[in-house]
Amino acid sequence: MCGIWALFGSDECLSVQCLCAMKIAHRGPDAFRFENVNGFTNCCFGFHRLAIVDQLYGMQPLRVKKFPYLWLCYNGEIYNFKQLQKQFGFDYQTLVDGEVILHLYNKGGIEQTASMLDGVFAFILLDTANRKVFLGRDTYGVRPLFKVLTDDGFLGVCSEAKGLIDLKHNMSFPPKVEPFPPGHYEVLDLKPSGKVASVEVVKFHSPKDEPLHAAYSSLQNLPSDFDIETVKSNIRILFENAVKKRLMAHRRIGCLLSGGLDSSLVAATLIKLMKEENITYPLQTFAIGMEDSPDLLAARKVAAHIGSEHHEVIFNSEEGIQVLEDVIFSLETYDITTVRASVGMYLVSKYIRKKTDSAVIFSGEGSDELTQGYIYFHKAPTPEESAEESERLLRELYLFDVLRADRTTAAHGLELRVPFLDHRFTSYYLSLPAELRIPKNGVEKHLLREAFEDTNLLPKEILWRPKEAFSDGLTSIKKSWFSILQDYIDTQVDDLLLEKAANKFPFNPPKTKEGYFYRQIFEKRYPDRADWLPHYWMPRWIKATDPSARTLKHYKSDAKE
């Protein structure tokens, strides 16, 4: 996890512009570099480094003697860089996984490069010999990327929007900053003036497609029939492989553990594989909640079962409310459910950074979208519509859960790893017949649970524990986190303000005081940028007025009725 920033064709003095790059310093607490591009005095790169691999030669922009005309700034991890080296005989000059991008580009151009990367990434690649700039982002947008491109060819690129909004340029209004679309790359011509012109934006991978790099994977030829035992075995093999490849790190690995199915599967699989790989330190697991929260109790059970070094972070409602403004600034969104769920993740990340030496943090994001874990999936009219909804949620992850997980961890200089969003694992799961993937016997994610039924990875009551939204499981059943927030906000937002909300905020007008409160904070930090969120996250197929799972009729908690 790092922070990348680049400008091409700046009219303003670069020493003034580079102050904007410091807005993402939290993403890379270990080192910073600012570098001009030879021959293009108005083009530059800024890089904030969190050193996870190759402590010695990992600074960026990355350049190697073999390709003196290539400049690479990237944020991410490429898990198959060694397999590709072996396959194509690449001669690496560093231990940096991202160096493979330079070699792939030299060998086969940008389309093959983007398609062959097994990992999470956002990159800026400059080819001064051919006067091209390339931008690329991974399939699910696990690593963030924003850009601004003006009509006169000034390009700014950054890991977070906050590094672009204050750029100076000869325009009467602020230039439009927008997220770069996941699973795409862009080709731009670089003019002698340093300005650029966009040539094309190309989609190189969709969640359903088996990735091109699968042909070079060490995991080959899984049986392709849909016999249930075969399917369950394939799910276990691919999930374990997803976790194993993500062990690549020179820093300590930890894992978020809510006690729900997803994070528990990740943590249990991590412990198993760390033993096999002879990683000698114990796995630190981290749970957060208020006193008597169901998440804390469940996480304690899992930690005892798997034998992790378990940490509990207890917070109260005042502490949660106090960080709301910082959380919204970090997130760059005002989506209600994202803000709610981010408070706990922000506070636990703060604890990890201050009190432990874990820097690479595993988490269970992506599973709910992939395996139909949201409670409203019980109301889907048909398996086919369930499958379509699952794909829609995966396409929009970069606006919601993946955004939350990146920003809350990155705010504290941690690197996030999300094995459920592994390319092979997701494309396989989405290839299964729609009727296999739907909730069954009143239980969501039935297939995933069934796949691990006989493994003893987890206690049975955890494996079959009903879905809790992260923001709900933080607190007791008596009073949900969203109720605590709403009670506080009720005193902060006048009824009259809410009545006039549509006049003040015509785009995505808030319908509740909570929504209004978050929007006010967002507009204070990011005025007139509301279109970063195309729509609020809400359940489908039911008349929901709130995104919390606890407001749905199907909700089942650990508490007895």
Side-chain angles (χ1 to χ4, degrees), residues 269-281:
T269 306
L270 256 178
I271 290 255
K272 174 178 181 279
L273 292 170
M274 285 168 74
K275 283 177 187 161
E276 289 173 14
E277 298 284 315
N278 295 318
I279 294 172
T280 51
Y281 58 80

Side-chain angles (χ1 to χ4, degrees), residues 323-557:
V323 297
L324 278 173
E325 186 151 346
D326 290 342
V327 165
I328 290 169
F329 177 67
S330 293
L331 291 175
E332 304 173 333
T333 188
Y334 51 92
D335 177 63
I336 294 166
T337 191
T338 304
V339 174
R340 283 178 190 168
S342 294
V343 170
M345 206 160 176
Y346 184 89
L347 290 171
V348 78
S349 298
K350 185 178 182 181
Y351 170 89
I352 295 168
R353 177 76 187 165
K354 280 191 170 177
K355 307 279 189 185
T356 79
D357 58 346
S358 284
V360 176
I361 306 299
F362 279 69
S363 188
E365 268 69 36
S367 176
D368 283 325
E369 290 76 10
L370 177 68
T371 66
Q372 303 184 15
Y374 293 115
I375 287 169
Y376 71 85
F377 273 99
H378 289 277
K379 304 290 186 187
T382 65
E384 289 68 32
E385 284 184 66
S386 263
E388 279 172 30
E389 174 67 356
S390 180
E391 285 172 47
R392 182 189 72 83
L393 288 169
L394 286 166
R395 284 195 302 273
E396 293 190 347
L397 264 173
Y398 76 106
L399 296 167
F400 301 109
D401 278 26
V402 151
L403 179 147
R404 163 180 57 77
D406 172 82
R407 300 303 195 288
T408 53
T409 50
H412 302 289
L414 303 175
E415 176 175 297
L416 185 80
R417 300 217 171 154
V418 282
F420 275 106
L421 291 175
D422 181 75
H423 298 165
R424 290 284 301 280
F425 183 73
T426 54
S427 64
Y428 176 73
Y429 208 96
L430 294 173
S431 76
L432 298 172
E435 59 275 10
L436 270 187
R437 294 182 271 146
I438 57 172
K440 193 171 152 192
N441 305 334
V443 180
E444 62 284 341
K445 301 191 217 181
H446 196 280
L447 178 60
L448 182 65
R449 298 173 198 270
E450 214 184 332
F452 289 93
E453 173 85 280
D454 301 320
T455 61
N456 196 36
L457 264 183
L458 294 174
K460 286 279 186 284
E461 69 268 27
I462 298 295
L463 188 64
W464 294 96
R465 184 188 176 203
K467 165 73 181 161
E468 272 272 24
F470 180 44
S471 59
D472 294 334
L474 290 171
T475 48
S476 74
I477 299 303
K478 296 183 211 93
K479 189 153 192 184
S480 283
W481 172 229
F482 76 90
S483 303
I484 292 166
L485 283 168
Q486 286 170 350
D487 287 354
Y488 166 73
I489 289 165
D490 200 44
T491 66
Q492 305 295 308
V493 177
D494 194 81
D495 291 349
L496 198 61
L497 285 175
L498 186 60
E499 278 175 37
K500 296 181 176 174
N503 297 333
K504 189 172 183 182
F505 305 120
F507 183 83
N508 274 347
K511 302 278 197 303
T512 63
K513 286 189 176 183
E514 186 185 7
Y516 191 97
F517 186 73
Y518 299 158
R519 182 65 172 272
Q520 268 189 317
I521 296 172
F522 176 86
E523 292 286 346
K524 185 169 97 176
R525 296 303 195 105
Y526 305 109
D528 303 317
R529 308 284 185 178
D531 60 352
W532 289 345
L533 177 69
H535 61 87
Y536 291 102
W537 193 100
M538 286 295 271
R540 294 190 73 189
W541 304 308
I542 46 178
K543 286 180 180 160
T545 53
D546 190 283
S548 169
R550 286 196 182 169
T551 63
L552 304 185
K553 279 184 184 159
H554 184 85
Y555 178 73
K556 295 179 290 186
S557 73

Side-chain angles (χ1 to χ4, degrees), residues 141-259:
V142 173
R143 291 292 176 261
L145 193 65
F146 286 82
K147 76 164 194 177
V148 57
L149 179 58
T150 65
D151 292 343
D152 67 340
F154 167 52
L155 173 69
V157 188
C158 189
S159 295
E160 297 182 22
K162 54 182 70 68
L164 299 175
I165 55 173
D166 294 323
L167 286 173
K168 304 284 184 284
H169 195 62
N170 295 331
M171 289 175 73
S172 53
F173 52 88
K176 187 177 171 64
V177 176
E178 50 196 357
F180 190 82
H184 288 71
Y185 67 82
E186 183 169 9
V187 182
L188 302 108
D189 282 333
L190 179 65
K191 298 172 183 176
S193 64
K195 306 275 190 193
V196 302
S198 181
V199 178
E200 59 177 349
V201 179
V202 178
K203 186 172 195 174
F204 66 85
H205 188 233
S206 296
K208 275 178 89 167
D209 303 336
E210 183 169 69
L212 194 61
H213 58 70
Y216 305 100
S217 167
S218 52
L219 194 65
Q220 289 291 336
N221 305 324
L222 290 174
S224 57
D225 63 273
F226 295 135
D227 167 71
I228 191 65
E229 291 307 316
T230 301
V231 167
K232 282 156 54 176
S233 168
N234 287 348
I235 287 171
R236 289 192 299 272
I237 290 166
L238 286 166
F239 182 68
E240 189 167 301
N241 184 55
V243 176
K244 186 175 184 175
K245 69 176 77 160
R246 284 165 175 77
L247 292 174
M248 180 182 95
H250 296 162
R251 299 279 289 273
R252 185 168 183 162
I253 290 168
C255 188
L256 300 181
L257 180 61
S258 71

